[in-house]
Amino acid sequence: MTAVLTPPSQDVTPDRSRALRALARVEAVKLLRSPITIVAAVLFLAPWIYGWVSGSINRYPVLHEDAVTVQFLSLLVLGNGALVAANFAALRAHRHRADALFDVLVLPQSWRTGALLVAVLAPTGLAVVLVAVRAGVLAALPGAAGVVNWADLLTGPAVVALLGTVGVLLARIVRSAVVAPLVALVLTSCAFIAPVGAASEVRWRLLLPIISPEFPMPVPFELLERPAGRHLLYLVGLIGALALLALVRSGARRMWVAGALTLIVLAGGAATQFRTDPSVREARLAATNDPASVQTCRTVSDVRYCAFDDFAPWIEDWDAVLRSVRRAVPEVAGPPLAVRQRVLAVGYPEDGTVVTHEEDVARAEAVEQANVAAGTPEAVPVGTQWGDDKAAAVFAGAVAYRLITGGSWRSGLPVCGSRGALLIWLVGQASERTADGLRELDETSWNSLVLGDSSGFSMLSVPDADAAAGLALLDKPDAPKVVRQHWDELIAPGTDANRFAALVGVPAAPQLPAAERMQC
């Protein structure tokens, strides 16, 4: 019998696109199943879940500020995880000493690199899910303030895609699995060193992968000059440029059109971030010097609360703290109580900048004139941070000062004598929350108990010797009755701390020599 052999057809060409898609799917699944990716996801979620379980999470988040925090976490954990995992995947053949075998496969190296770059979309998609879940849960909280900016949220996943692409590119430049972890370590160090706050107006920071905040405290969304959409476009161009470099390094040619388009997107996104909007400057000036012109007011019982629209959900909680302070004092003469939110969007003292007492008082007087014109004289100031015990204690201190003196705090000098001791007692007795905040502030204060936060308002301070009498009064069960009985003398400007101690029945703390005492 004669066997006839049919020669294989010579006109069959391999479907490289189909093979690329198949390889990309396999690599995507491997990236998601990688222990590095799983550990990164756990590290991303663990602090947040712990906050929920322990009750330490702030249930009054500012959504557009939290989006920036998520960018940092995405860079630190998910991005570095994608970098190392993608690098290991691209070096798999080299690590297994199987490079020669890959030469007989359908896909040349440039196409395999393309498949790996497509597979990076898997950890990017995981980042999208994690960020969306976090943003959705926070937005559903009754105390959530601010707005969700989708471009800010998508910046985190874009950073993951960027670092995953860097991992593939590194594998095509350096055939060593040690380099990627070292690069991740350097990026982590730079993330902590780079300017991530403290009223930074330096525009070049926008060329970093993530956008650092302009202010150390939250501000209304309309006061931000954060080009989130243009920054996202810049990241897309940067990802495209790095991907093209990886492909060219792998042997791809004729990439001129893609290269030109990528360069246009990258340069356009980078350059447009430096464009400033004069209207934002005007809005910041109005919010700082005349907040009444851009706020909405609401009356709760007999107290008028005025807040920037983003922060209106906090009014009920402010009211609870105010009433917990107010119930301990007799009726106070003077204009009706009002609370007005403040923000220092212009002129915030940067690192090393010193604001003199005269400048501080002049600015406070200018704002007070605006308050009088708005019908809320001597309004109690409250900042844009809320949710923790210290913020509640700081606001309680501002309310106590208003009830003791009949005016809002704006002198810049310490509150001394009986007034200072009474202020500390009013804050500590208001609630367990304000008492905890008072203790936290006391632990971080030196020479005087300072009730202040990064907003720059209500920086009330009481010398330690005077504050000690107020703290001692917290232990007396009949303190509210005694305070009401001697209220007029306790709030008199000339009553010192020793007299306060004698009236309420607590030990008087030794005073410093007159020459060493703080100016009051």
Side-chain angles (χ1 to χ4, degrees):
M1 186 174 66
T2 303
V4 179
L5 300 177
T6 303
S9 175
Q10 300 297 320
D11 57 353
V12 176
T13 57
D15 187 349
R16 289 179 172 172
S17 299
R18 184 177 178 183
L20 183 146
R21 291 195 297 273
L23 179 59
R25 285 195 296 271
V26 171
E27 293 292 350
V29 172
K30 286 186 176 180
L31 282 179
L32 287 179
R33 291 180 176 176
S34 168
I36 299 172
T37 304
I38 295 173
V39 170
V42 171
L43 291 177
F44 181 84
L45 291 175
W48 189 45
I49 294 175
Y50 174 78
W52 280 100
V53 174
S54 65
S56 60
I57 194 171
N58 186 3
R59 298 181 184 275
Y60 298 84
V62 181
L63 298 178
H64 51 267
E65 298 295 334
D66 186 78
V68 177
T69 304
V70 171
Q71 290 180 18
F72 181 74
L73 291 176
S74 299
L75 168 70
L76 196 63
V77 180
L78 299 178
N80 281 332
L83 189 156
V84 176
N87 184 263
F88 282 10
L91 288 173
R92 187 182 302 116
H94 175 71
R95 290 188 289 114
H96 296 170
R97 303 180 186 278
D99 291 306
L101 298 177
F102 276 59
D103 293 338
V104 301
L105 298 181
V106 172
L107 291 178
Q109 189 183 46
S110 60
W111 286 70
R112 294 198 300 273
T113 300
L116 287 168
L117 291 171
V118 174
V120 170
L121 293 177
T124 304
L126 175 63
V128 170
V129 172
L130 295 178
V131 169
V133 168
R134 177 184 173 117
V137 171
L138 292 181
L141 292 175
V147 297
V148 175
N149 187 343
W150 293 108
D152 271 336
L153 286 182
L154 289 176
T155 296
V159 169
V160 175
L162 175 67
L163 294 190
T165 305
V166 170
V168 177
L169 174 60
L170 283 175
R172 296 298 178 247
I173 296 175
V174 183
R175 299 174 71 79
S176 171
V178 178
V179 175
L182 290 177
V183 171
L185 182 62
V186 171
L187 288 176
T188 302
S189 303
C190 292
F192 283 104
I193 297 173
V196 290
S200 174
E201 296 182 356
V202 181
R203 301 295 291 182
W204 65 261
R205 67 190 171 83
L206 299 174
L207 298 180
L208 297 173
I210 60 174
I211 299 181
S212 55
E214 295 172 83
F215 300 96
M217 70 291 188
V219 301
F221 182 73
E222 60 270 18
L223 303 187
L224 295 175
E225 197 167 23
R226 194 160 66 211
R230 285 170 277 161
H231 184 74
L232 188 60
L233 183 66
Y234 162 71
L235 286 182
V236 171
L238 196 55
I239 294 169
L242 296 176
L244 286 177
L245 284 176
L247 291 172
V248 171
R249 182 69 183 175
S250 302
R253 297 294 181 266
R254 296 191 294 275
M255 309 290 291
W256 301 109
V257 175
L261 291 175
T262 301
L263 187 61
I264 291 172
V265 173
L266 176 61
T272 54
Q273 291 184 97
F274 288 84
R275 189 179 64 200
T276 58
D277 185 357
S279 64
V280 174
R281 173 74 178 177
E282 295 176 3
R284 290 179 177 182
L285 282 171
T288 302
N289 299 328
D290 185 16
S293 63
V294 291
Q295 289 181 338
T296 301
C297 297
R298 183 156 64 95
T299 300
V300 180
S301 186
D302 60 339
V303 183
R304 190 164 179 78
Y305 293 89
C306 300
F308 298 104
D309 290 344
D310 289 349
F311 301 87
W314 293 354
I315 288 179
E316 296 294 337
D317 214 52
W318 293 342
D319 185 64
V321 173
L322 182 143
R323 296 193 183 286
S324 64
V325 177
R326 194 183 188 185
R327 69 185 175 208
V329 306
E331 287 293 329
V332 179
L337 276 179
V339 175
R340 185 171 294 283
Q341 195 176 27
R342 298 281 308 278
V343 65
L344 204 55
V346 176
Y348 189 92
E350 299 181 20
D351 291 341
T353 303
V354 177
V355 178
T356 65
H357 170 65
E358 290 74 16
E359 291 174 337
D360 202 19
V361 172
R363 184 167 54 197
E365 289 295 341
V367 172
E368 179 55 26
Q369 291 178 10
N371 281 340
V372 172
T376 55
E378 306 299 345
V380 178
V382 61
T384 53
Q385 289 180 316
W386 194 250
D388 58 12
D389 295 336
K390 288 196 291 187
V394 171
F395 178 58
V399 173
Y401 185 89
R402 169 68 172 84
L403 296 174
I404 292 171
T405 66
S408 61
W409 180 89
R410 52 181 181 272
S411 72
L413 297 176
V415 185
C416 300
S418 176
R419 285 184 166 190
L422 183 59
L423 185 145
I424 295 299
W425 176 77
L426 283 173
V427 173
Q429 63 80 39
S431 66
E432 185 177 345
R433 186 176 166 195
T434 57
D436 290 342
L438 190 65
R439 280 191 289 271
E440 289 183 40
L441 292 167
D442 192 23
E443 291 172 357
T444 57
S445 299
W446 178 78
N447 204 30
S448 63
L449 205 168
V450 180
L451 284 75
D453 54 25
S454 60
S455 65
F457 301 107
S458 299
M459 295 292 287
L460 289 161
S461 64
V462 179
D464 282 341
D466 301 337
L471 293 172
L473 185 58
L474 291 173
D475 297 329
K476 294 198 65 172
D478 62 338
K481 179 182 177 181
V482 175
V483 168
R484 286 178 177 274
Q485 181 180 355
H486 302 285
W487 177 258
D488 291 337
E489 189 172 0
L490 292 176
I491 65 172
T495 306
D496 60 20
N498 291 336
R499 179 59 179 162
F500 173 90
L503 288 173
V504 301
V506 298
Q511 293 281 349
L512 294 172
E516 300 178 15
R517 293 179 190 173
M518 304 175 69
Q519 182 183 357
C520 300

